Amino acid sequence: MPVDTRRDVRTRSGPGRRRRQVLPAVVLGGALALTGCSSGAPSALDPAGSGAGRVANLWWLLFWLSMAVFAEVMAVLAWALLVRRRPGTRVRHGQPLRFVTVAGAGIPLVILVTVYAVGLRDLAALGDDPGPRAPTIEVTGHKWWWEVRVQGVDGATANELHIPVGEKVRVRLRAADVLHSFWVPQLMPKTDLIAGEVRETWLHADRAGSYRGQCAEYCGTQHAHMAFLVVAEPRKDFDAWVARLAAPAPAPRTDAQRRGQEAFVQGTCAGCHAIRGTGAGGRIGPDLSDVGSRWSIGAGAVPNDGGHLGGWIANSQTVKPGNYMPPQPVDAGRLPDLIAYLQSLK
Ligand code: CUA
């Protein structure tokens, strides 16, 4: 029998073949999405403190309850389809009202009341005041960075705050412009920052480490580059951090650093940035007194190294478009000095 080869070819490259290509693509896409979830991004299901621990427990309670309800519904459905529809089966209606009352109203009511009660308990615990002896850290959200101060201490830093391990720390939140949201997935659920209001939350870490935080409320072009780091460390290291915030920035030790400081203080930098103990006292941008020790430049935009720092100073708009720092007319000969000085601030 002659075979219509044209038709054969059309079938292989037609919709049937496309369907066969869709399945692997979906599987591959799903696998990639899942690996994205485990690429070291902080997860609220990997809690490192009592606040996030409550949220994780609530999440698992809801998950297992949902799974139990799903399994129960599927079992009843399977039973109805497989057993009750067998030909010749005599249907006994029993007591349908009792079934509907128990399965349709009673069980859901018990589940909902339980979840509501647990939710209320957790809400109250998360809203608890950490007590009068807890250190207070003041955080202000700006487009697009975090100003960090410790109550009673003069100095400021940016995009990084330290807490003592095992102690509750009060965090007082303000917004300088628009809505932001303070979120450290492994330590505490989100708290919104609202302009004109002072909100409070607390942080508590069970174990030492660095925990990434992120602005969790869309606040403009660079919302994604509004990250911060919470460093949980032994009490004596925390005390040392607070002491460093109160002290002047380290003095320049080399000639290059001295020239860099001069360029900073006498140039345009000092109009927006402060460095404690120098003539630079700008309050528009982040305080740079400890910029050399920070984990990133631009609130998570790029790593903090000499190359990125130079690129940032020359034209930060290419790194984080839309941020409020205009390109700087820094003499190419002075840029290495400026970098050397800023990197020495730690
Ligand atoms: Cu600040 Cu999003």
Side-chain angles (χ1 to χ4, degrees):
M1 194 179 149
V3 176
D4 184 348
T5 48
R6 275 180 308 159
R7 194 172 156 204
D8 199 25
V9 166
R10 201 167 54 236
T11 315
R12 261 190 267 139
S13 61
R17 183 172 171 147
R18 217 171 293 142
R19 258 198 302 278
R20 281 198 296 278
Q21 287 171 339
V22 167
L23 185 66
V26 167
V27 171
L28 185 66
L32 283 175
L34 284 176
T35 50
C37 294
S38 61
S39 66
S43 168
L45 296 182
D46 177 25
S50 50
R54 282 186 178 275
V55 177
N57 288 339
L58 191 58
W59 193 93
W60 284 112
L61 175 70
L62 288 171
F63 177 78
W64 288 117
L65 279 174
S66 313
M67 290 305 283
V69 170
F70 179 73
E72 186 216 330
V73 170
M74 287 300 121
V76 171
L77 186 66
W79 175 73
L81 289 174
L82 299 175
V83 179
R84 304 294 301 265
R85 286 179 79 189
R86 223 178 267 153
T89 312
R90 270 191 50 211
V91 176
R92 279 191 308 112
H93 285 289
Q95 291 179 300
L97 187 63
R98 191 166 74 184
F99 177 75
V100 168
T101 315
V102 173
I107 296 176
L109 188 73
V110 169
I111 291 175
L112 290 177
V113 167
T114 306
V115 168
Y116 186 61
V118 174
L120 281 183
R121 185 202 65 183
D122 287 345
L123 211 58
L126 292 171
D128 237 7
D129 188 85
R133 297 186 57 190
T136 299
I137 297 186
E138 300 185 325
V139 175
T140 306
H142 296 261
K143 280 158 77 177
W144 290 277
W145 58 283
W146 304 88
E147 179 183 342
V148 176
R149 294 172 177 274
V150 174
Q151 193 183 41
V153 176
D154 217 18
T157 183
N159 309 325
E160 183 170 319
L161 58 105
H162 292 221
I163 60 172
V165 178
E167 289 182 48
K168 274 191 180 178
V169 173
R170 181 184 294 102
V171 183
R172 197 163 279 159
L173 299 161
R174 294 180 177 84
D177 33 49
V178 298
L179 271 179
H180 302 278
S181 187
F182 183 87
W183 186 31
V184 193
Q186 286 181 275
L187 297 181
M188 200 63 181
K190 301 161 189 172
T191 306
D192 283 356
L193 283 68
I194 298 169
E197 275 189 35
V198 180
R199 315 287 307 274
E200 277 189 4
T201 182
W202 49 264
L203 291 175
H204 169 264
D206 293 328
R207 51 180 201 263
S210 295
Y211 303 101
R212 191 181 159 123
Q214 174 64 40
C215 179
E217 181 80 47
Y218 182 71
C219 53
T221 332
Q222 290 295 342
H223 155 70
H225 287 145
M226 192 167 168
F228 60 99
L229 208 62
V230 176
V231 179
E233 57 195 6
R235 180 72 198 206
K236 65 172 184 3
D237 295 338
F238 170 75
D239 290 339
W241 175 72
V242 175
R244 281 202 300 282
L245 275 184
R253 287 180 302 274
T254 66
D255 285 342
Q257 291 171 12
R258 261 185 288 279
R259 288 193 301 270
Q261 188 190 52
E262 202 180 285
F264 189 97
V265 175
Q266 292 170 3
T268 49
C269 311
C272 296
H273 296 284
I275 293 179
R276 291 189 294 281
T278 73
R283 296 289 293 262
I284 296 169
D287 186 307
L288 298 181
S289 304
D290 60 356
V291 71
S293 68
R294 292 198 191 143
W295 66 287
S296 81
I297 301 171
V302 283
N304 188 3
D305 56 42
H308 286 103
L309 186 56
W312 179 273
I313 295 169
N315 189 358
S316 69
Q317 295 302 321
T318 59
V319 183
K320 190 171 173 177
N323 86 81
Y324 291 153
M325 180 164 154
Q328 294 305 302
V330 180
D331 185 353
R334 302 200 89 176
L335 192 56
D337 296 340
L338 208 45
I339 294 170
Y341 173 58
L342 291 173
Q343 286 195 306
S344 77
L345 300 176
K346 52 183 161 196

